[in-house]
Amino acid sequence: MNEVNNFGETSNVGNLPVNASATTIVEAETLDTKQIPNEHHSHWKAESITFLVVLGVFQVIFLILFWVFFDYEITVTNSTETSNVAIEHEAEEKVKRYYKTMLDVGVMCYVGFGFLMTFLKKYGYSAFGFNFLISAFIFQWGVLNQAFWRGVYHGFPITGDAANLSLPRWMVHFEMPDLVEGHFATASVLVSFGAFIGKVTPLQLLVAGLIHVVFYAVNFYVGGLVFRAADIGGSMFIHLYGAVFGVTVAFILWNKKALAGHPAQISRYTSDLFSLIGTIFLFLCWPSFNGALAATYAQQFRTFINTIMSLMGSTIATFFVSRLVRGGLFAMEDVQNATLAGGVAIGAVADYVIQPGGALTVGLVAGAVSALGFRFVTPNMRKYLKIHDTCGVTNLHGMPGFLGGVASIVAAGVAAGQRYNYGSTYDIMFKKGTHQWGYQFATLAVTIGIAVTGGVIAGFVIRWLFPEKTLFVDEAFWEVASDDLKVEDPEEETSADKKNNDIELKDK
């Protein structure tokens, strides 16, 4: 039985005899029962205990930090307003401004990325389940790290300072944008997860995520706060950083079985359809992702239009290039991923005055580059660089993210001579004025450098943390329902064969 894997290649899982046993069928479906750990296996027992300790300890730490150092931004003691009516109005404005877009960003993380990663035939539980776990865990860690570096740069507020309380203390005011920032950190980790999905344990995933966010926050501090880079949709801060970090980790882990083409790394009709559901959710919510933290409504207006136009361009380019280079057929992995490249690439310039035609151009280029990457870059990375990128994040997030960074350098330089197109928002968007293009370039370079550094550290740390023994199957960590294992009755199959032979004889 030949099936097409996620790299457009075929995997032979063997031919079954008519009287195949249930065990044989399971093995043919790439569920090698000899590799599945049992509860008495010391390796997996140690991994399980360590996972519980790490998850539990860090959750307790998060809990203490949120109790001790966080309160609400808008309260009687913290608000600059003096009346409850004014405070209510202030809170209403914040909710209207941020909650809807924040919810869309959350849908992208929990639903979009979750479904997108379910393309692997026997890894659906892990793809969606680990995505769910890491989203909830990293959201908290992301908020804490971003709040810390924001406090380092701006200074930490003192609770009760507006009300002149007698015992004010050092505190972080939890703001509505913090909800978005937490999901942004989560999205970046999920991007990197795509590079080594199916090859790591839950423990390794947690530790990699913890390290990822530390360097993610440092990178944002340098690029976003010190360099004041304009990257509203995170082409560099989220996508490029996440892709480079993840690919670096995948390179350090270097799994020989995965590089050789593991038989379980294949998709099937239903898993590809589930993955496509994730694509549609991401496609529809991407404008909110790019515009969630826009400083002005004018920026958000341009962001929504530019993002949608870019996504349309990447979709058309994907279908065109896919059929062009795939022998006249469309490849599902191209449609699942490259169609979204426009949303990634436009992120850094989504609020720029690049005109709808410019946004469409960015999307067309990004979609074409991404589709070509899935066809040519991914297999050659495995062959020559020994890098196994499971989901192809290099093509969906890495190259389009880099393209977005380059576009921001060019667009910032052009904007310096066309300030009249931005009006009063120019100084809000371009904190470095006419020198903004140089800081965009510096941010692009620093992002790659920090991502590689963090990826190397994370890769070597998790490489020795009870490494994964079973690749691309759920049974290692999940209770899997047995009703998905189709065990055919040999007598029924023999009877069916006899019936088919009778039909053929009648035709003759």
Side-chain angles (χ1 to χ4, degrees):
M1 180 171 56
N2 291 325
E3 299 193 51
V4 180
N5 67 14
N6 199 48
F7 299 110
E9 303 165 345
T10 58
S11 295
N12 189 305
V13 295
N15 297 315
L16 297 177
V18 174
N19 60 346
S21 65
T23 303
T24 303
I25 292 175
V26 169
E27 290 178 345
E29 291 294 321
T30 71
L31 301 179
D32 187 350
T33 55
K34 294 180 181 179
Q35 294 182 3
I36 304 302
N38 57 57
E39 60 184 354
H40 303 294
H41 196 299
S42 59
H43 176 89
W44 295 104
K45 186 175 182 180
E47 189 277 339
S48 178
I49 294 174
T50 309
F51 167 80
L52 294 173
V53 171
V54 171
L55 182 63
V57 168
F58 272 93
Q59 185 56 69
V60 170
I61 293 174
F62 296 166
L63 179 65
I64 294 173
L65 291 175
F66 278 113
W67 263 113
V68 175
F69 296 111
F70 279 73
D71 65 358
Y72 301 117
E73 174 196 14
I74 300 175
T75 64
V76 174
T77 57
N78 294 331
S79 178
T80 56
E81 303 291 347
T82 56
S83 68
N84 287 333
V85 175
I87 292 174
E88 183 71 15
H89 177 72
E90 183 182 3
E92 181 183 9
E93 288 299 314
K94 290 293 180 71
V95 171
K96 287 182 177 179
R97 180 68 179 274
Y98 294 107
Y99 185 75
K100 176 59 173 63
T101 52
M102 183 279 299
L103 193 62
D104 287 345
V105 176
V107 168
M108 289 181 67
C109 291
Y110 290 93
V111 182
F113 279 107
F115 273 113
L116 184 65
M117 295 184 185
T118 59
F119 67 92
L120 290 170
K121 184 175 183 179
K122 292 295 180 180
Y123 206 69
Y125 282 20
S126 299
F128 215 118
F130 293 160
N131 183 92
F132 197 0
L133 166 66
I134 209 68
S135 294
F137 184 73
I138 294 301
F139 174 87
Q140 302 172 69
W141 186 228
V143 170
L144 291 168
N145 276 269
Q146 290 288 70
F148 172 78
W149 287 108
R150 189 172 64 242
V152 170
Y153 187 80
H154 294 294
F156 292 95
I158 306 297
T159 188
D161 52 0
N164 296 318
L165 296 183
S166 58
L167 295 174
R169 62 191 178 94
W170 185 64
M171 188 70 76
V172 176
H173 300 332
F174 204 119
E175 308 174 14
M176 287 296 292
D178 289 333
L179 298 176
V180 180
E181 292 287 4
H183 283 126
F184 277 177
T186 298
S188 184
V189 172
L190 295 178
V191 168
S192 68
F193 176 34
F196 45 83
I197 181 176
K199 299 172 291 188
V200 293
T201 66
L203 172 63
Q204 289 176 308
L205 183 57
L206 277 185
V207 175
L210 289 168
I211 298 173
H212 179 114
V213 172
V214 171
F215 285 91
Y216 167 86
V218 171
N219 183 56
F220 183 79
Y221 171 78
V222 175
L225 298 178
V226 177
F227 291 166
R228 308 298 287 179
D231 185 15
I232 191 172
S235 293
M236 296 180 286
F237 293 137
I238 298 173
H239 301 287
L240 178 61
Y241 172 85
V244 174
F245 184 99
V247 170
T248 304
V249 171
F251 175 71
I252 299 298
L253 293 179
W254 194 86
N255 190 291
K256 185 177 181 180
K257 290 183 180 179
L259 287 169
H262 195 278
Q265 197 190 351
I266 54 178
S267 61
R268 58 182 169 188
Y269 196 82
T270 52
S271 65
D272 271 335
L273 284 177
F274 273 108
S275 182
L276 192 58
I277 292 174
T279 300
I280 300 303
F281 271 103
L282 290 168
F283 187 93
L284 295 175
C285 294
W286 216 293
S288 294
F289 187 94
N290 286 347
L293 294 180
T296 67
Y297 284 112
Q299 286 178 262
Q300 196 170 66
F301 173 83
R302 290 193 297 269
T303 298
F304 290 161
I305 293 176
N306 289 338
T307 302
I308 291 173
M309 291 300 294
S310 185
L311 285 167
M312 298 306 170
S314 60
T315 299
I316 298 302
T318 296
F319 278 91
F320 180 89
V321 173
S322 184
R323 194 165 194 188
L324 178 67
V325 301
R326 300 280 188 174
L329 299 176
F330 299 110
M332 182 54 75
E333 67 171 339
D334 296 340
V335 177
Q336 290 163 344
N337 297 280
T339 52
L340 303 172
V344 175
I346 199 66
V349 294
D351 56 337
Y352 287 27
V353 183
I354 59 174
Q355 304 305 332
L360 185 60
T361 301
V362 170
L364 287 167
V365 174
V369 169
S370 182
L372 289 171
F374 279 101
R375 178 62 182 89
F376 299 108
V377 175
T378 298
N380 284 305
M381 285 174 60
R382 296 203 331 267
K383 182 177 181 180
Y384 297 108
L385 301 180
K386 305 303 179 184
I387 297 176
H388 184 273
D389 181 358
T390 308
C391 292
V393 299
T394 303
N395 312 309
L396 173 55
H397 301 277
M399 293 189 294
F402 182 83
L403 177 63
V406 173
S408 73
I409 297 171
V410 176
V414 173
Q418 299 179 351
R419 298 184 59 146
Y420 55 85
N421 284 333
Y422 295 87
S424 60
T425 63
Y426 180 87
D427 293 329
I428 297 176
M429 292 177 56
F430 304 109
K431 300 294 185 180
K432 299 298 183 178
T434 58
H435 300 291
Q436 185 69 43
W437 68 270
Y439 287 92
Q440 297 294 124
F441 176 83
T443 299
L444 181 62
V446 168
T447 296
I448 295 174
I450 292 179
V452 170
T453 303
V456 169
I457 294 174
F460 279 112
V461 169
I462 70 172
R463 184 174 181 176
W464 308 111
L465 285 177
F466 310 104
E468 174 69 288
K469 300 291 186 181
T470 308
L471 305 181
F472 309 119
V473 291
D474 286 326
E475 281 72 13
F477 303 105
W478 295 87
E479 295 180 356
V480 179
S482 60
D483 57 2
D484 71 324
L485 301 179
K486 182 180 179 181
V487 181
E488 299 179 356
D489 187 343
E491 294 183 2
E492 291 181 2
E493 189 166 332
T494 303
S495 176
D497 289 341
K498 182 178 180 181
K499 182 178 180 181
N500 290 334
N501 291 333
D502 292 341
I503 294 174
E504 290 178 2
L505 290 174
K506 288 181 181 180
D507 292 339
K508 292 180 180 180

